[in-house]
Amino acid sequence: MVLTATNQDRASLRKTLRQARRALTADQQQQASLALLNKVRDAELLPQSGHCAFYLSNDGELNPTPLIQHCWKIGLSTSLPVLHPFTRGHLLFLRYQHNSAMQHNKYGIAEPKCEVTNVVPLLQHKVIFTPLVGFDLNGNRLGMGGGYYDRTLASLKSATGIRLIGLAHDCQQVDALPFQNWDIPLHMIVTPNRIIKC
Ligand SMILES: Nc1ncnc2c1ncn2[C@@H]1O[C@H](COP(=O)(O)OP(=O)(O)O)[C@@H](O)[C@H]1O
Ligand SMILES: [Mg+2]
């Protein structure tokens, strides 16, 4: 279903969904992050080799850290988004290792220190795991409202084979998400309990 949305709709949805994920207890968050690892492993969603992009959880987001550590164990390279130093509103992906030097960005989110030698070009990723605020069964994604992933992934619109997989708690699902023509849809959403192919 195609819905048009006002900024107001999107803003109030974001508020409700962010409150729901922040209401999860530390125990629930920990169990969810381990369940996520098992889901991704059992469904063999990780590539055999190459780069996978993740994020560090913030604001009640599903925590992919156990999954990142699993990638390190099996020799997969992981990257994290950083706010692009030159192109405003875009993300740049930087290699993330257990000993990466980190700093906090303007949103208070930890990101690898921006060194050009650690940049992983977007097209070198096999999978990009994104956080999200809300999702629906069609793969529509509502983010925090900055449009960072939409801008950064806009160049992937023509098929590149890169899989975009949203990670979320089950409480972040909505029936039909209002979306705009700049929104980049996801190929799949993984929750601690479900894998949704879109
Ligand atoms: N490809 C793009 N080019 C230019 N502006 C964009 C692009 N994608 C998103 N934006 C802008 O980013 C803002 C936030 O986008 P939105 O989809 O609401 O956020 P989010 O995806 O974080 O939920 C919008 O005002 C939109 O105009
Ligand atoms: Mg968007």
Side-chain angles (χ1 to χ4, degrees):
M1 186 183 356
V2 178
L3 292 181
T4 50
T6 62
N7 286 337
Q8 186 56 43
D9 294 333
R10 288 163 80 91
S12 66
L13 244 183
R14 281 191 187 99
K15 194 169 167 207
T16 309
L17 293 166
R18 288 179 62 184
Q19 274 169 353
R21 70 182 186 187
R22 277 198 305 262
L24 297 169
T25 65
D27 255 14
Q28 288 172 319
Q29 284 285 0
Q30 198 193 356
Q31 281 172 28
S33 65
L34 295 176
L36 168 70
L37 166 62
N38 289 330
K39 270 269 168 299
V40 169
R41 220 170 24 186
D42 293 350
E44 299 183 0
L45 298 181
L46 293 173
Q48 299 287 326
S49 61
H51 300 281
C52 293
F54 289 93
Y55 59 89
L56 296 184
S57 62
N58 171 51
D59 192 57
E61 289 165 349
L62 180 56
N63 180 4
T65 295
L67 183 53
I68 294 173
Q69 289 168 343
H70 172 71
C71 288
W72 292 344
K73 216 160 39 180
I74 63 173
L76 281 179
S77 155
T78 59
S79 64
L80 291 177
V82 308
L83 300 181
H84 201 293
F86 311 123
T87 317
R88 206 170 151 192
H90 286 244
L91 300 170
L92 191 62
F93 290 93
L94 287 200
R95 192 173 176 130
Y96 178 48
Q97 295 167 295
H98 72 280
N99 59 352
S100 292
M102 306 294 285
Q103 65 188 12
H104 285 90
N105 66 23
K106 66 175 177 180
Y107 298 111
I109 301 171
E111 53 177 48
K113 278 198 173 154
C114 198
E115 285 179 25
V116 73
T117 50
N118 287 333
V119 172
V120 181
L122 183 62
L123 289 172
Q124 283 187 17
H125 290 86
K126 296 250 174 74
V127 185
I128 296 178
F129 291 98
T130 79
L132 56 84
V133 173
F135 69 91
D136 67 16
L137 299 182
N138 293 320
N140 295 310
R141 172 182 183 275
L142 184 73
M144 294 277 266
Y148 286 95
Y149 278 97
D150 290 330
R151 285 190 201 87
T152 306
L153 301 177
S155 62
L156 297 182
K157 262 183 182 163
S158 45
T160 56
I162 300 176
R163 283 171 124 190
L164 306 179
I165 304 182
L167 302 180
H169 297 287
D170 293 276
C171 63
Q172 293 173 250
Q173 184 179 337
V174 296
D175 285 342
L177 200 57
F179 64 92
Q180 304 287 7
N181 57 8
W182 62 74
D183 284 324
I184 304 292
L186 300 163
H187 299 127
M188 192 183 287
I189 294 123
V190 185
T191 78
N193 296 299
R194 296 177 70 189
I195 290 179
I196 297 145
K197 292 182 182 159
C198 310

